[in-house]
């Protein structure tokens, strides 16, 4: 069987949605709504493609992505997320599809496909893709009562910190992205990391509707932290988390993670995905305290000699300098513009 | 002039050659490393689950080695050593608990010392050591009219506490007990420690207690 892919057009929207809704490995980052929000906010050239058998019209797969400009040339990638692997129907030859996707990238172009150990997609090496490890993702089974999750999966330290937050009077309530944004922006400024424009969060909330939710933690009626979650099917993705450093003594992040997990247990979410982090870092250690299973993340790149475009090592090295340049890199005008090029 | 131009051209060509070599070597290394990783990725895909990744996580051994301050190959020995130590400590804890309960019960059934007149208390910890004797004697410092002599037969040590309202010197009493048991002692007016022959210490302490009772009018 031979396959071909074509750019997805507006008239493909319904078939795309149906295909993603019925695919067991689909993530929120494969949805049409995600692509709309990213495309509108950053003006990237859309590069999401529909895969069909040659000469046929019915999709047997969909591939997310945008053509993102860079110093060395354009890169096709699904930006700002953990997952960009092709969603293919049962029995479709993955290697043939991946080879087809490697065509038409241009002399200086590259394609990055983000995948994780849990998806089971294979065939990258036979298709000529190189790989770069980008971290790990931890996924927690929440198809249980919250009490069981807390007692069997949370570490003693996590239980203690959640209890301490509750006893300190930290409360959690649903909120909007506009309430969350100031907390997010303050965290980005602390880290010296370019921020998403607020319009992107608003657009994403508009596109995803009830599948995007926000919790805000408060102490003495003041917001001290927030968490932004994206749901798709039976999986919840913790996509963004922010907190005020001067309130860390109240453990707002522990309280928010526990609230997100408790809500997942109560609302039919079977898996909470804590998102990417690098083993050995404080963020990764924090996530590990809530239990769950780790799965490796990798970006597959064609042609393989451009694998370094998918590496996140450079961002880590730049972090120390970036903190000192925070007022510049998180400037309301400069930050969102820089974010277009930092599509980790 | 022509010679300088030739040298300049040679230099430029040499630099270009070096740059090309460096570029292609880096490119070759990137290709090799990235393809190796994508090949390794394919291997565990059969029946791949998050659990299988977690159990084969190579960083787990390195983290354990860091925690134990050891090299990865030393981890099994360190773990075995730690396990032995935990078992020993558990056994010691059980013994100490039994001893503490027995002493508490004995004290509960004995006559309380007089607290409104100078008095002497002798305590023998038959399997105790210096740390035990010191802890007990320090606790007895709150007894302002009491002289407390604690002997620890486990390692032949003793500790003496003298209440703040008394004229007696703890170091002199400790020395008297220790010398009678063939040892020595030192310390201050309120607290002193020493050591001697383990089997003679308890008797020596009782002798000193009796002397204080007879010569200084202490209740014994």
């Amino acid at each position: 069987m031979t396959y071909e892919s074509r750019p997805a057009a507006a008239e493909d929207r319904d078939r795309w949605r149906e295909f993603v809704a019925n695919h067991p490995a689909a993530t929120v980052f494969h949805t049409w709504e995600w692509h709309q929000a990213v495309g509108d906010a950053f003006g990237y050239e859309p590069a999401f493609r529909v895969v069909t058998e040659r000469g046929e019209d019915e999709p047997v797969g969909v591939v997310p992505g945008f053509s993102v400009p860079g110093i060395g040339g354009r890169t096709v990638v699904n930006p700002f997320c953990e997952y960009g692997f092709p969603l293919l129907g049962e029995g479709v030859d993955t290697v043939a599809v991946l080879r087809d996707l490697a065509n038409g990238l241009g002399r200086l172009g590259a394609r990055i496909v983000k995948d994780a150990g849990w998806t089971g997609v294979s065939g990258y090496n036979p298709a000529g893709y190189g790989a770069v490890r980008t971290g790990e993702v931890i996924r927690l089974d929440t198809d249980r009562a919250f009490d069981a999750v807390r007692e069997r999966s949370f570490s003693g330290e996590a239980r203690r910190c959640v209890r301490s937050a509750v006893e300190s009077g930290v409360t959690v309530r649903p909120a909007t992205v506009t309430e969350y944004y100031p907390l997010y922006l303050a965290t980005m400024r602390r880290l010296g990391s370019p921020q998403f424009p607020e319009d992107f969060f608003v657009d994403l909330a508009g596109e995803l509707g009830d599948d995007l939710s926000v919790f805000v933690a408060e102490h003495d009626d003041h917001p001290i932290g927030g968490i932004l979650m994206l749901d798709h099917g039976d999986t919840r993705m913790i996509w963004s988390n922010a907190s005020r450093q001067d309130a860390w003594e109240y453990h707002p992040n522990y309280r928010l993670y526990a609230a997100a997990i408790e809500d997942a247990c109560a609302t039919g979410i079977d898996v909470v995905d804590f998102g990417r982090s690098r083993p050995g870092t404080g963020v990764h250690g924090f996530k590990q305290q809530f239990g769950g299973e780790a799965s490796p993340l990798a970006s597959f790149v064609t042609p393989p000699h451009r694998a370094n475009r998918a590496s996140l090592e450079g961002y880590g090295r730049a972090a120390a300098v970036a903190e000192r340049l925070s007022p510049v890199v998180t400037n309301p005008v400069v930050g969102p513009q820089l974010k277009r090029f930092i599509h980790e | 002039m022509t010679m300088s131009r030739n040298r300049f051209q040679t230099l430029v060509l040499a630099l270009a050659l070096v740059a090309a070599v460096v570029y292609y070597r880096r490119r070759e290394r990137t290709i090799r490393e990235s393809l190796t990783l994508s090949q390794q990725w394919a291997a565990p895909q059969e029946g791949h689950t998050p659990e299988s990744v977690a159990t084969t996580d190579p960083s787990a051994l390195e983290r354990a080695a860091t925690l134990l301050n050891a090299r990865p190959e030393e981890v099994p020995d360190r773990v075995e050593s730690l396990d032995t130590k935990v078992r020993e400590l558990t056994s010691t804890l059980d013994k100490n608990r039994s001893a503490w309960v027995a002493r508490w019960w004995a004290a509960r059934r004995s006559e309380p010392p007089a607290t409104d007149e100078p008095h002497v208390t002798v305590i023998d910890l038959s399997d105790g050591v210096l740390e035990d004797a010191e802890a007990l004697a320090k606790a007895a410092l709150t007894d302002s009219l009491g002289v407390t002599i604690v002997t620890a037969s486990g390692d032949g040590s003793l500790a003496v506490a003298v209440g703040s309202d008394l004229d007696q010197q703890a170091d002199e009493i400790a020395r008297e007990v220790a010398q009678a048991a063939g040892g020595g002692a030192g310390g201050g007016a309120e607290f002193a420690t020493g050591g001697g022959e383990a089997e003679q210490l308890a008797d020596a302490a009782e002798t000193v207690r009796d002397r204080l009772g007879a010569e200084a009018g202490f209740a014994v």
Side-chain angles (χ1 to χ4, degrees):
Chain A
M1 188 70 68
T2 57
Y3 302 93
E4 60 186 357
S5 66
R6 58 177 167 77
E11 54 268 28
D12 289 311
R13 184 187 64 183
D14 291 341
R15 287 195 293 188
W16 182 291
R17 281 179 169 161
E18 185 183 356
F19 191 89
V20 170
N22 292 326
H23 199 290
T27 72
V28 68
F29 307 120
H30 290 92
T31 61
W32 189 269
E33 289 76 14
W34 169 260
H35 288 93
Q36 287 298 115
V38 173
D40 289 349
F42 294 94
Y44 293 140
E45 182 185 326
F48 35 119
R49 301 181 76 82
V50 174
V51 180
T52 61
E53 291 177 3
R54 190 167 294 282
E56 300 293 328
D57 195 41
E58 196 61 26
V60 296
V62 297
V63 188
F66 290 89
S67 180
V68 176
I71 295 170
R74 300 188 78 83
T75 302
V76 177
V77 62
N78 200 17
F80 314 125
C81 67
E82 284 76 0
Y83 307 121
F85 54 90
L87 281 185
L88 301 177
E90 201 170 339
V92 174
D93 181 354
T94 313
V95 176
V97 172
L98 288 170
R99 280 183 181 147
D100 178 74
L101 293 173
N103 296 327
L105 295 171
R107 212 163 56 85
L108 298 176
R111 175 180 284 277
I112 297 175
V113 180
K114 298 174 179 177
D115 206 336
W118 63 265
T119 69
V121 176
S122 60
Y124 292 107
N125 185 261
Y129 286 61
V132 175
R133 282 289 292 270
T134 55
E136 276 186 0
V137 67
I138 296 175
R139 290 160 63 86
L140 177 67
D141 169 21
T142 50
D143 188 19
R144 301 173 281 168
F146 177 65
D147 286 349
V149 175
R150 184 185 56 212
E151 295 306 316
R152 293 179 196 161
S153 297
F154 286 19
S155 70
E157 177 69 2
R159 287 198 299 271
R160 188 189 69 76
C161 290
V162 173
R163 194 166 53 243
S164 169
V166 172
E167 289 169 356
S168 301
V170 177
T171 57
V172 172
R173 64 171 175 83
T176 63
V177 288
T178 50
E179 288 177 283
Y180 174 70
Y181 193 78
L183 291 160
Y184 162 78
L185 186 58
T187 298
M188 291 297 105
R189 285 185 172 150
R190 190 179 74 239
L191 299 174
S193 178
Q195 74 274 28
F196 287 115
E198 186 172 2
D199 288 351
F200 176 50
F201 282 9
V202 173
D203 284 354
L204 199 55
E207 292 286 346
L208 292 174
D210 290 342
D211 287 335
L212 183 150
S213 52
V214 173
F215 286 161
V216 163
E218 292 180 324
H219 185 260
D220 285 342
D221 294 329
H222 294 295
I224 59 172
I227 194 165
L228 195 160
M229 301 159 287
L230 308 177
D231 293 351
H232 178 78
D234 61 2
T235 302
R236 165 166 294 174
M237 187 87 204
I238 294 182
W239 186 60
S240 179
N241 175 213
S243 59
R244 277 176 34 197
Q245 190 173 19
D246 60 2
W248 281 356
E249 63 185 294
Y250 303 120
H251 308 300
N253 292 325
Y254 284 94
R255 182 80 173 90
L256 286 162
Y257 261 65
I261 292 165
E262 184 171 11
D263 184 68
C265 293
T267 54
I269 295 288
D270 292 344
V271 176
V272 173
D273 187 322
F274 297 156
R276 178 180 57 220
S277 50
R278 290 170 56 198
T281 62
V283 173
H284 193 70
F286 169 77
K287 292 175 180 176
Q288 284 179 311
Q289 295 179 71
F290 295 90
E293 300 290 348
S295 190
L297 288 169
S299 285
F300 295 90
V301 185
T302 183
H305 67 266
R306 300 205 171 112
N308 287 338
R309 285 193 195 179
S311 174
L312 304 181
E313 298 291 324
Y315 297 134
R317 283 196 294 271
V321 181
E323 279 182 41
R324 287 189 219 114
L325 298 174
S326 176
V328 177
V329 298
T330 61
N331 176 278
V333 176
V334 177
Q337 290 301 318
L338 281 175
K339 195 73 176 173
R340 290 191 77 228
F341 298 94
I342 303 176
H343 46 78
E344 53 185 329
Chain B
M1 187 73 177
T2 306
M3 190 174 287
S4 316
R5 187 182 296 164
N6 285 343
R7 280 185 182 165
F8 179 71
Q9 285 176 342
T10 304
L11 183 63
V12 169
L13 283 171
L15 286 173
L17 184 63
V18 168
V21 168
V22 169
Y23 169 76
Y24 278 101
R25 287 186 73 166
R26 287 187 60 178
R27 176 179 164 135
E28 186 269 338
R29 192 179 66 198
T30 302
I31 292 172
R32 189 178 63 247
E33 290 176 354
S34 70
L35 286 176
T36 300
L37 186 55
S38 70
Q39 191 173 30
Q40 289 170 346
W41 184 269
Q45 294 300 319
E46 293 297 324
H48 189 102
T49 63
E51 288 81 358
S52 67
V53 172
T55 54
T56 56
D57 177 9
S59 66
L61 179 61
E62 288 166 15
R63 289 202 300 272
T66 303
L67 284 171
L68 294 166
N69 195 24
R71 295 193 300 274
E73 60 270 25
E74 293 173 338
V75 167
D77 288 342
R78 290 293 179 92
V79 170
E80 188 177 4
S81 168
L82 269 180
D83 183 56
T84 304
K85 193 169 183 179
V86 168
R87 288 171 193 278
E88 287 172 356
L89 286 172
T90 304
S91 173
T92 304
L93 192 62
D94 288 342
K95 285 179 187 169
N96 285 348
R97 185 178 291 114
S98 300
W100 172 81
V101 166
R103 285 182 192 127
W104 184 89
W105 186 244
R108 183 79 175 77
R109 294 171 63 87
S110 65
E111 285 289 321
T115 53
D116 56 351
E117 60 179 331
H119 54 274
V120 185
T121 306
V122 171
I123 302 168
D124 178 45
L125 303 176
S126 57
D127 52 357
V129 294
L130 178 62
E131 288 80 5
D132 302 320
E134 283 183 330
L136 194 51
K138 282 178 182 172
L141 282 171
T142 57
D143 185 0
S144 60
L145 287 173
V147 171
T148 307
I149 305 171
V150 186
T151 56
S153 301
D155 64 352
S157 61
L158 80 154
V160 174
V162 173
S164 56
D165 291 346
L166 298 175
D167 294 332
Q168 275 66 25
Q169 301 290 307
D171 54 341
E172 289 176 4
I173 296 172
R175 204 169 291 118
E176 186 179 350
V177 175
Q179 286 175 352
E190 293 191 343
F191 184 81
T193 57
E197 293 296 330
E199 59 274 16
Q200 297 177 29
L201 275 175
D203 289 343
E206 286 179 2
T207 303
V208 172
R209 177 194 62 187
D210 293 343
R211 182 187 66 73
L212 286 170
E215 295 179 3
F218 276 67
V220 295

